[in-house]
Structure formats: structure tokens, C-alpha cells
Amino acid sequence: MLNTISSQRIFSGIQPSGKLTIANYLGALKPFVELQQSGAECIYCIVDLHAITVWQDPTELKHSTRLAAACFIASGIDVNKSILFNQSQVSAHAELAWIFNCVSRLGWLGRMTQFKEKAGSNRENSSVGLFVYPALMAADILAYHATHVPVGEDQKQHLELTRDIAIKFNNDFGVDFFPVIEPIIEGVATRIMSLRDGTKKMSKSDPSDLSRINLTDDKDTIVKKIRRAKTDSYPIPSHEAEISNRPEAKNLINLYAALSDTTRDSVMQQFGGKGFSEFKDQLAELAIECVSPVTHEVNRLMDDNTELDRILATGADKAAIIARPIVKKTYEIVGLLSQ
Ligand code: ATP
Ligand code: LTN
């Protein structure tokens, strides 16, 4: 897939809702870099407007936004090849989101599992922004007429909604204006699970720091977190058939496969029948090998906020040049008078 899409426009986003994790790296940043290297036009966005759909401390939000930018660059995003910026600096996102709020149906948004999970039992008290989150996400993508969107498995439903919004807009107004996007969800790392609970996805906003490996964790912390990762009392499975009701074992095997660029099968061939202790030590080594160079570069970049802010502002200027005429044309199609 990756080498057949060099003439397409890629868009994706990551929320600055905490410190980026190894799941964000394997499920998003690593494929983002591969796409950049394939020669596709790539636009990557730190989606701060999405982050504030749940409470964010203002000082921490600024820090997390710069930290996310540093993680993109440290992972290999070259700001001279790809556009990197934060969402709130390009007003096209919020403007188009309003139009899409008027195109989306309440029923569509009410079916979104991310909303149900994040709102939990306290739905009445969740923000309206959290409910219309997917319409803003559609605006992010369609403001650039992006064609392909690399994401982890958890975003599949939101991308289907983006397709529905594009189709409904085009039908309602009798135009062929917004593209029907293609998701890119590939590889073994599209759904890395929590280290504390193999049925929950690893997430940067999980209250437990032990549930994840952050891209800023040092070596000792990584070793500690992997040693403490939940497992069961059986040996490591040897076949796919033995893995289905063992979510924690499956997750660690997946993580190992993703970090060593191999398949689950070959990991099971190597470790099947053994205990978890030696496996965990080797897994920790692989995780350190992956995370350490990124951490080192992130720390260097975070010493210079002015430079990070300059990079994001330059990216926002480039992004706005693409998005502005698309929003202008959308207004015209809808019948809004504008200059
Ligand atoms: P939050 O906890 O604040 O919801 P998150 O850690 O789930 O955040 P996002 O910013 O929502 O991360 O997602 C950024 C990208 O990382 C998306 O493409 C998403 O699909 C991917 N991603 C997030 N979690 C995982 C995971 N556990 N495994 C693989 N990919 C993931
Ligand atoms: N909803 C996504 C983040 C996100 C995104 C996007 C991803 C916001 N806008 C546009 C791809 C394209 C998430 O929670 N991971």
C-alpha cells in the first residue's frame, strides 16, 4: 500500500492530551515517517482543539503541544518535507467543523464508541465538544482534500463517519467536492493494549502511568513497567489458537513483534512454552532500543521552545495556504456570502 500512494495527500493527527506513548509511536508516528519517505505529500497536525474536548490544564496543554511536536520531529518527521503544525493556529479547521456539525446527524454521532467510552456513565456532564469531536476530525482531513489517513484501529469508526460526511455534503449540495477518504490501518501495531489490562487500549490519558511506556521514559522506568506488566500464570503460547482468550499475553507478543519488525507467529516460535521472565527482559531491551534515541532527541528539542514555536507557526502558514481556498469554496457551495 505505502509505495503505491506517492501521488496522494496524507493527513493525520495526534492529540496533545498527555505524553506520547510507544503505542502512538508504533501505531502512528512510525507509519507517518514511512509515508513521508514514500514521497507522498504529508500533513501532520497536533490536534489541540480535540484535546480540549476533555479538561486540560492550560499550562500543561502548551507543554504537551510542544512535547508532541518534539516527538514528531525526533521520530523522523522532517519539517521541510512534511507540514507539521497545531490545529488551533489554522482557523479553517474550526470553520469547516461548524459546517460539518450541520451536515452530521445526531444519530451518527451518538453511535461513536469513542464518545461512549470517554463520556462513560456521566454522559450528561460531558462536553458538547466531545460529542461533535468526529465532525471536527472530518474537517481536519477534508479541509486539505486529503485522500489517505493513517491511524490506529481505534479511529476506524471516525474515518467511516468522515466518509459519510463527505458523501452527504456532496449529495446535499449536488457537487463532487469532498473526496471519499481511504483509511490506512496496517501492521501488528494498530492496537497496542494497556500494560495493566489487556482488554483496554494503551492510551496517553490513562490515569495509570504503569499502563503505558511514554516516549520520554528512561531505561529504568521502561524495565520496571515491562517487568510489572500484567500476565497470566501459563507459559507463553506457541500457536495463534492458544492466544485468543489471553489478552495480556497476546499484547506483549504483539508489542515484541512490532518492535522487532516480525510477526506474532515468529515470536511464538521463539518463546512458546517458556515463562514470561526472560521474554520480558528481552522485550524491555527492544523497547529501550526503540524509545531511547527518540527520548534523547526530544529532550534536546524541548530545550528550545522558541524554535519549536517557530516550526509550528511556519507549518501553520503552509497548512493555511492549502486549506483557505477549500473553506472559501465550501462557503460558496453552502451559500454563505464571503469575500
Ligand atoms: P487519548 O488517551 O488522549 O485519547 P491516545 O493515546 O489514544 O490519546 P490519540 O492522540 O487519540 O492517542 O491518537 C493518536 C494516534 O495514535 C491515532 O492514530 C491513534 O489511532 C493512534 N493510537 C492511539 N492509541 C493507540 C494504540 N493503543 N495502539 C495503536 N495506535 C494507537
Ligand atoms: N481522533 C484522533 C486524532 C485526530 C485525527 C484527525 C486522526 C484528530 N483529527 C484527523 C486522523 C485524522 C484520535 O483520537 N486519535
Side-chain angles (χ1 to χ4, degrees):
M1 176 83 163
L2 298 191
N3 48 14
T4 60
I5 57 175
S6 57
S7 63
Q8 311 298 327
R9 184 175 280 163
I10 309 295
F11 184 97
S12 198
I14 295 190
Q15 301 184 73
S17 43
K19 298 171 186 151
L20 269 60
T21 69
I22 201 165
N24 297 133
Y25 177 81
L26 295 168
L29 291 171
K30 195 166 170 245
F32 293 176
V33 172
E34 285 165 12
L35 285 159
Q36 170 186 271
Q37 280 157 357
S38 77
E41 182 185 2
C42 298
I43 306 173
Y44 296 128
C45 185
I46 300 160
V47 290
D48 45 9
L49 297 175
H50 276 111
I52 62 166
T53 57
V54 298
W55 170 251
Q56 303 293 335
D57 174 83
T59 309
E60 266 173 41
L61 179 60
K62 285 186 183 158
H63 175 77
S64 304
T65 304
R66 292 185 180 117
L67 186 62
C71 287
F72 269 88
I73 299 166
S75 304
I77 295 303
D78 175 347
V79 295
N80 295 311
K81 287 190 184 146
S82 300
I83 298 179
L84 176 67
F85 69 107
N86 61 309
Q87 192 184 27
S88 58
Q89 290 207 62
V90 179
S91 59
H93 295 248
E95 290 164 358
L96 194 56
W98 181 256
I99 307 284
F100 290 164
N101 282 340
C102 302
V103 172
S104 310
R105 304 292 93 182
L106 274 179
W108 297 359
L109 294 171
R111 283 193 282 277
M112 294 295 111
T113 50
Q114 182 171 302
F115 172 73
K116 290 185 203 161
E117 276 167 25
K118 292 213 169 181
S121 54
N122 204 2
R123 210 181 268 207
E124 288 296 301
N125 199 33
S126 61
S127 76
V128 175
L130 189 65
F131 189 69
V132 295
Y133 179 115
L136 175 59
M137 181 162 162
D140 295 341
I141 299 164
L142 297 174
Y144 300 90
H145 276 189
T147 55
H148 291 75
V149 185
V151 286
E153 182 72 40
D154 60 319
Q155 295 305 306
K156 194 171 172 198
Q157 195 186 29
H158 285 162
L159 294 187
E160 277 157 15
L161 191 88
T162 298
R163 290 165 67 101
D164 291 342
I165 290 175
I167 292 168
K168 184 168 191 306
F169 181 96
N170 289 346
N171 279 342
D172 285 354
F173 295 100
V175 290
D176 182 15
F177 185 59
F178 287 116
V180 180
I181 53 130
E182 287 298 333
I184 304 177
I185 305 174
E186 287 175 359
V188 273
T190 56
R191 192 165 170 81
I192 303 287
M193 309 309 274
S194 154
L195 298 179
R196 307 301 303 159
D197 177 352
T199 64
K200 255 175 55 183
K201 84 170 183 115
M202 186 182 285
S203 152
K204 68 174 113 61
S205 60
D206 191 299
S208 163
D209 193 56
L210 282 176
S211 69
R212 59 179 168 262
I213 293 167
N214 304 312
L215 291 182
T216 42
D217 281 345
D218 61 27
K219 295 180 185 177
D220 291 346
T221 309
I222 295 176
V223 170
K224 181 184 83 184
K225 285 180 176 176
I226 292 188
R227 285 208 179 131
R228 290 214 201 157
K230 192 174 167 198
T231 46
D232 48 36
S233 48
Y234 304 103
I236 296 176
S238 313
H239 304 285
E240 207 54 38
E242 295 169 26
I243 221 175
S244 56
N245 50 0
R246 298 182 59 190
E248 281 84 18
K250 180 176 177 182
N251 186 39
L252 295 185
I253 291 170
N254 259 346
L255 191 56
Y256 193 105
L259 287 168
S260 55
D261 251 322
T262 174
T263 59
R264 266 212 305 262
D265 260 352
S266 95
V267 180
M268 286 190 284
Q269 266 172 32
Q270 192 182 341
F271 292 99
K274 296 183 182 159
F276 277 96
S277 156
E278 185 201 329
F279 172 76
K280 279 187 169 179
D281 286 346
Q282 293 198 33
L283 178 59
E285 244 174 67
L286 281 176
I288 290 167
E289 241 172 67
C290 163
V291 169
S292 280
V294 178
T295 312
H296 186 258
E297 189 57 9
V298 166
N299 291 339
R300 193 188 67 76
L301 291 161
M302 286 301 280
D303 275 345
D304 192 350
N305 279 353
T306 316
E307 177 58 6
L308 284 172
D309 292 358
R310 190 198 61 76
I311 288 172
L312 291 174
T314 306
D317 288 344
K318 292 186 200 164
I321 289 172
I322 304 173
R324 180 54 36 210
I326 293 175
V327 172
K328 192 171 181 324
K329 180 74 185 161
T330 310
Y331 277 22
E332 198 184 307
I333 293 170
V334 173
L336 303 173
L337 283 180
S338 62
Q339 290 258 303

